[in-house]
Every structure is written in structure tokens, then in C-alpha cells.
Amino acid sequence: MADYELFQFQLAAAPGRRSQAAFAGDLKDRGAGSVRAAGGELLGLFASQLGWAANELALLVRWGERGRADLSSLAAVEAVRREALTPTIRPAAGDRLRLGGIHVLRWFHVLPDSAEEFVKLSGEGWADFETRFDAKVFGLFRARDEAGAARFLLITRYGDHGEWERSRDPSTAAMQTFMRRQQLTVWTQAASTLATAV
């Protein structure tokens, strides 16, 4: 099974979007080659819309068996946090992000003894959720546990923010399943992003 990594970058503050442009150019010129040389595949770069500071970006990489790459020296990077991720029921090998719309990255901290049930309820809810709304879950990943909590990252594409709002309808089967999942959740935080290819 392939493993994944989320690089969460904090860029230097600069007027306009100069830091983002410098970072994106260096990622294309140097970083992408480093990742590929180490056996990795760049799946998408996520730029902040809501929930992150304007100078925050994230990069999702799927790794092969050969190694890792260090991206901390890319232009404008002040800090980087790396999260090793293991896929649960999604993504399957070879799945690709669908671009366009918005991508919501939501972190969950879950009671450790409820982690399996959390994943099961997620999958059950997606069946109704994805047929009813312009929404598609790319992946539900398990991260390293912290402070007595199982940690998960959910990446979901929505057609737009209006579709995200419509999908909150509590009368749907999906939301009723997700409300059961919420009972297992200690903490959650989400950010709306725009995903681009690298």
C-alpha cells in the first residue's frame, strides 16, 4: 500500500501574493523534480481560501518505496510541518484529485477505541452524500496519534461553497450518519482550499 505525506508550509509574509508566486515557481523548478527523483508523486497543491492564513499552503504527495524529499529550502518557506498519512478506505492506489471547485481539508481527533467505527461510519455516509451532492471524497487518512487521540485527515471536493452549505442538510441519510460519527469526535477543524496541479 502506498503511503502519503502532507507538507504544510508557512511562507514569508509579503505584499500581494509574492511569496506564493516565488514558492510555486521554485516548487515547479526544483521541488517537483526532487519528489519524483525520490519516487514520489505530487497529487496537488492546496492554497488557502478560508480557515488558514493567506501565507499557508499544503502539498499532498504519494510516496513509492524509494524514499523521501526535503522541501524546506524552497523559496519563501519559513516553516514546514510534515504529516505522514496512511489511507483508510480511500484513496485507492492510483486515485487522482479532481481539480476545480473547492477542496476542504478537515482534521479529526477521535477517541482511540472508536477509530474503526469512525472510518466505517464515514464510508457508510459517503454512499448517500456523493449521489446527492456535487461532492467527492478523495481520501480519509490516518495520521500519527497525539495526546490520546486518533487523528484523521479527510479531503473532500465540492462544486463550490454553496454545495458545501447544501450538504449540511441534517435531514439527509448522509448527515444522520455523520452526526453519529460526530459523537466519536473530540475535536475537528476544516479549511477550504483551491487545489492546483503541480
Side-chain angles (χ1 to χ4, degrees):
M1 176 187 302
D3 59 337
Y4 295 73
E5 190 168 19
L6 187 74
F7 291 79
Q8 297 170 278
F9 297 100
Q10 180 180 331
L11 305 183
R17 302 195 60 86
R18 287 185 211 161
S19 291
Q20 289 87 339
F23 173 85
D26 202 18
L27 177 61
K28 183 178 178 182
D29 293 342
R30 291 191 307 133
S34 296
V35 169
R36 291 184 187 111
E41 176 186 5
L42 296 102
L43 296 178
L45 180 64
F46 301 92
S48 172
Q49 280 197 309
L50 300 169
W52 290 348
N55 65 333
E56 292 181 79
L57 296 167
L59 176 70
L60 183 65
V61 175
R62 178 166 34 218
W63 290 111
E65 298 178 3
R66 286 185 291 176
R68 297 289 184 269
D70 180 10
L71 302 177
S72 61
S73 67
L74 292 177
V77 172
E78 287 195 333
V80 60
R81 178 176 171 156
R82 300 173 70 159
E83 289 278 2
L85 302 170
T86 303
T88 61
I89 49 181
R90 286 194 197 164
D95 282 356
R96 301 280 182 277
L97 282 172
R98 179 180 163 201
L99 301 180
I102 64 168
H103 284 77
V104 174
L105 280 65
R106 179 180 293 275
W107 284 98
F108 293 89
H109 290 193
V110 176
L111 298 169
D113 58 354
S114 301
E116 282 187 32
E117 186 180 359
F118 178 88
V119 172
K120 178 177 172 285
L121 288 170
S122 295
E124 288 175 5
W126 298 343
D128 178 60
F129 176 73
E130 292 178 332
T131 56
R132 186 180 299 270
F133 303 106
D134 180 10
K136 178 74 173 176
V137 173
F138 172 73
L140 177 64
F141 301 91
R142 180 95 184 246
R144 181 177 47 82
D145 292 358
E146 281 184 3
R151 298 170 63 239
F152 292 91
L153 174 64
L154 177 67
I155 300 178
T156 308
R157 182 205 169 274
Y158 296 86
D160 54 32
H161 286 112
E163 194 67 9
W164 178 88
E165 184 66 32
R166 283 186 287 281
S167 75
R168 307 298 95 184
D169 180 352
S171 69
T172 65
M175 282 309 288
Q176 296 197 13
T177 302
F178 296 154
M179 284 189 279
R180 294 203 319 270
R181 184 181 70 178
Q182 185 180 22
Q183 300 307 308
L184 311 176
T185 302
V186 176
W187 174 89
T188 185
Q189 183 178 43
S192 169
T193 70
L194 294 176
T196 57
V198 183

